[in-house]
Amino acid sequence: MKADAARTLQLLKTARGQIDGVIRMVEDDRYCIDISNQIQAASAILAKVNQEILSAHIHGCVKDAMHGQPEDAEAKIEEVLEILDRCL
């Protein structure tokens, strides 16, 4: 993985903490809008870490493949496009 592992782990642990909080909120029968807001916050963190991982992949793995065999570069581009299709 080309992304900053420490930052990636920090963001993922933050998201995990928020999800644990959402679980407690559901267990405590908290207000629906408050639960939804926390779910959106966790989703935003996951989207951010995903963006950082994909950006590092493009600037690292895909860039490196561009200097190698054309079929390797094409495969890396297709991987990114498939991920983007799922994100949109």
Side-chain angles (χ1 to χ4, degrees), residues 18-32:
Q18 284 191 299
I19 291 169
D20 288 341
V22 170
I23 291 168
R24 284 190 300 276
M25 291 174 79
V26 171
E27 291 171 344
D28 294 343
D29 197 29
R30 297 277 302 272
Y31 186 55
C32 300

Side-chain angles (χ1 to χ4, degrees), residues 29-45:
D29 197 29
R30 297 277 302 272
Y31 186 55
C32 300
I33 297 300
D34 293 340
I35 294 170
S36 181
N37 282 333
Q38 291 305 309
I39 291 170
Q40 288 178 345
S43 294
I45 291 172

Side-chain angles (χ1 to χ4, degrees), residues 57-75:
H57 178 69
I58 290 168
H59 289 287
C61 299
V62 175
K63 182 179 168 185
D64 291 347
M66 295 293 196
H67 297 292
Q69 299 295 322
E71 56 274 2
D72 292 341
E74 186 64 32

Side-chain angles (χ1 to χ4, degrees), residues 6 17 21 54 67 88:
L54 288 175
H67 297 292
L88 302 176

